[in-house]
Amino acid sequence: MDTLTLRRPDDWHVHLRDGAMLEFAADFTARQFARAIVMPNLSPPVTTVAAARAYRDRIRAAVRPHHGFTPLMTAYLTDDISPDEIAAGFEAGVFTACKLYPANATTNSAAGVTDVFKLAHVFERMQAIGMPLLIHGEVVSPDIDIFDREKVFLETTLGPVMKDFPELRIVLEHITTEDSVQFVEAGSENIAATITAHHLRIDRNAMFDGGMRPHAYCLPVAKRRLHREALRKAAVSGNPKFFLGTDTAPHQKHDKESSCGCAGIFSAPVAIESYAQTFEEMGALDRLEGFASEFGPRFYKLPLNEGMITLERTGHAVPDVMEDADIRIVPFHAGETLTWRLMD
Ligand code: DOR
Ligand code: ZN
């Protein structure tokens, strides 16, 4: 098989940034995906309907119109966010979902939530109106080993929230552990999870491969190989609770190659190709379309895309660096040759 045609996919978790970085990065996502759930962790974060409308306009202006790309906006939950504001944004079709960052869990999360249980009134409202809650599922405590933060979050936070709000629709974002796979599998139909392209390929050794490798550093950090294998199995399982969300997160090369390097992997330029490579390695190319193009819209209660994309089997050399003006970024798979290439 030399070409692979599938329904146009969506990316249910992206960081498009703002300003010059948005101008640089957004088109890579728009070229591959019809829609994307856009993370609100700007500085300052997107906490109001007005800010989301303005950001959505900037995204629309940054992508070339022929892609027909639709950004789906999210509200950044803070300790004092007003349920009326997020409900108004949802009802107006501006907010698709809310994003929960535990305070200081990751990039631009300082304004995030300090005590998840104090947001009960917000979750209650979201549950009532059917607004999805997207979660960065890690506890933030210096006492908890960084490799255990996701697992501890399931036990101490997500489990209790789901018990209190059984009808709340929740996406556990960018899962990295076997524990999360099992948790989501065992949960009700109201819990689903996204899986990134990079967590399907790297394990934690990638960060220390012959030296410190800042371009393999993201949050949640990659875990042991056995967890990667569990993610791979979940992704190709055909279980509609697991769907595509790249968490593409561009940072400048110099900001990653620093004494305190930023977390994030810029996978947008090669996202669908990377997933295709993984699915092919798993002997499951026939399952890619469900994962990439069908299960996400089903969970979000949105129509499937009408268009199609085609990948061709051809050596696809990924550049070491991608740059324009003042931007220099090392993409995921830099310097590698991938099997598949998205045709224009
Ligand atoms: O690696 C990551 N980068 N994980 C996140 O949760 C945030 C993201 C970013 O915004 O850079
Ligand atoms: Zn993210």
Side-chain angles (χ1 to χ4, degrees):
M1 186 176 56
D2 291 325
T3 61
L4 175 64
T5 296
L6 51 143
R7 187 184 292 281
R8 190 146 179 237
D10 303 299
D11 188 341
W12 300 98
H13 186 127
V14 300
H15 298 271
L16 295 181
R17 312 299 193 206
D18 212 346
M21 188 65 97
L22 169 66
E23 298 292 329
F24 177 82
D27 229 44
F28 291 107
T29 292
R31 195 179 149 256
Q32 300 213 336
F33 299 102
R35 297 169 288 201
I37 286 276
V38 180
M39 289 298 122
N41 63 331
L42 303 181
S43 181
V46 179
T47 55
T48 64
V49 184
R53 275 188 204 279
Y55 184 32
R56 187 172 64 178
D57 288 345
R58 296 196 296 280
I59 295 167
R60 286 174 175 156
V63 297
R64 280 180 287 171
H66 71 269
H67 293 311
F69 175 70
T70 303
L72 302 173
M73 310 309 290
T74 56
Y76 181 115
L77 295 180
T78 61
D79 285 347
D80 52 13
I81 193 139
S82 141
D84 290 341
E85 183 75 10
I86 59 171
F90 185 64
E91 275 145 27
V94 179
F95 288 138
T96 297
C98 289
K99 177 64 188 269
L100 170 62
Y101 287 106
N104 302 314
T106 187
T107 308
N108 289 341
S109 62
V113 174
T114 56
D115 180 352
V116 171
F117 298 100
K118 290 205 176 129
L119 282 194
H121 61 297
V122 176
F123 299 154
E124 204 156 320
R125 187 70 168 274
M126 292 172 67
Q127 176 173 256
I129 62 177
M131 185 177 194
L133 174 65
L134 318 183
I135 299 185
H136 183 112
E138 290 192 287
V139 292
V140 183
S141 159
D143 301 334
I144 309 286
D145 190 281
I146 192 164
F147 294 102
D148 296 334
R149 288 180 178 183
E150 185 173 286
K151 178 175 161 56
V152 174
F153 186 88
L154 302 177
E155 293 155 7
T156 63
T157 311
L158 186 54
V161 167
M162 286 169 59
K163 207 168 263 167
D164 290 349
F165 301 96
E167 299 304 320
L168 183 59
R169 303 174 59 66
I170 296 176
V171 183
L172 183 57
E173 302 284 354
H174 43 53
I175 58 170
T176 61
T177 58
E178 181 175 43
D179 311 275
S180 288
V181 169
Q182 290 170 352
F183 184 95
V184 170
E185 281 172 350
S188 79
E189 60 181 16
N190 292 323
I191 176 98
T194 53
I195 305 180
T196 74
H198 50 275
H199 288 115
L200 291 172
R201 300 205 67 81
I202 63 172
D203 61 28
R204 64 189 192 174
N205 291 326
M207 288 183 288
F208 309 106
D209 184 10
M212 291 185 68
R213 300 285 185 169
H215 299 290
Y217 174 58
C218 61
L219 287 169
V221 283
K223 309 295 193 297
R224 287 180 183 278
R225 176 61 64 102
L226 74 90
H227 294 290
R228 191 197 76 163
E229 296 315 298
L231 298 176
R232 285 185 161 220
K233 277 199 195 127
V236 305
S237 66
N239 183 338
K241 288 179 158 208
F242 300 104
F243 50 83
L244 187 157
T246 63
D247 198 16
T248 179
H251 289 280
Q252 289 270 25
K253 184 171 186 286
H254 61 78
D255 289 331
K256 290 201 56 86
E257 297 171 6
S258 137
S259 62
C260 186
C262 297
I265 293 181
F266 182 48
S267 58
V270 290
I272 195 66
E273 293 97 329
S274 179
Y275 283 111
Q277 185 141 335
T278 299
F279 275 65
E280 183 160 48
E281 287 168 11
M282 298 292 288
L285 265 184
D286 58 323
R287 299 274 171 89
L288 180 61
E289 188 169 37
F291 176 81
S293 316
E294 294 172 3
F295 303 156
R298 205 184 286 175
F299 188 84
Y300 278 89
K301 303 189 172 171
L302 291 169
L304 301 184
N305 296 315
E306 296 289 337
M308 308 296 280
I309 60 166
T310 299
L311 309 185
E312 63 178 328
R313 185 189 294 284
T314 174
H316 175 176
V318 183
D320 291 334
V321 178
M322 305 183 81
E323 51 196 324
D324 184 48
D326 294 336
I327 308 272
R328 278 171 71 76
I329 307 180
V330 176
F332 187 42
H333 288 291
E336 295 174 34
T337 299
L338 295 174
T339 310
W340 294 96
R341 178 194 290 276
L342 176 65
M343 295 172 75
D344 281 321

